[in-house]
Amino acid sequence: MSGYVLRRLEPHFAEILSRYEAGEPFDTIAADHACAGSTVRRLLLGHGIELRPTKWQLRARA
């Protein structure tokens, strides 16, 4: 994948971040921006955002 989709999402970064911090999953946010959940994840990681633990990571800690 080229960086086109990530560049297209850049102007919406503040909205995406606030929705993610409010607890919305990647796929829900991505559906509103016509991309994949993994693209939203890459955008957040590219900005140095610490991601919530996944349900699998939480199970591994228990």
Side-chain angles (χ1 to χ4, degrees), residues 38-52:
S38 59
T39 305
V40 172
R41 181 180 185 278
R42 286 179 51 210
L43 176 71
L44 295 172
L45 287 173
H47 281 273
I49 305 300
E50 188 173 330
L51 301 180
R52 296 186 300 259

Side-chain angles (χ1 to χ4, degrees), residues 2-62:
S2 70
Y4 170 75
V5 178
L6 290 174
R7 287 191 304 273
R8 185 174 55 83
L9 292 178
E10 279 298 327
H12 307 282
F13 175 72
E15 177 228 340
I16 290 169
L17 178 60
S18 66
R19 289 176 65 183
Y20 178 75
E21 288 176 337
E24 286 191 55
F26 295 130
D27 292 335
T28 304
I29 299 168
D32 292 340
H33 293 281
C35 66
S38 59
T39 305
V40 172
R41 181 180 185 278
R42 286 179 51 210
L43 176 71
L44 295 172
L45 287 173
H47 281 273
I49 305 300
E50 188 173 330
L51 301 180
R52 296 186 300 259
T54 64
K55 64 181 178 181
W56 305 108
Q57 290 169 329
L58 291 173
R59 286 184 185 168
R61 291 182 188 170

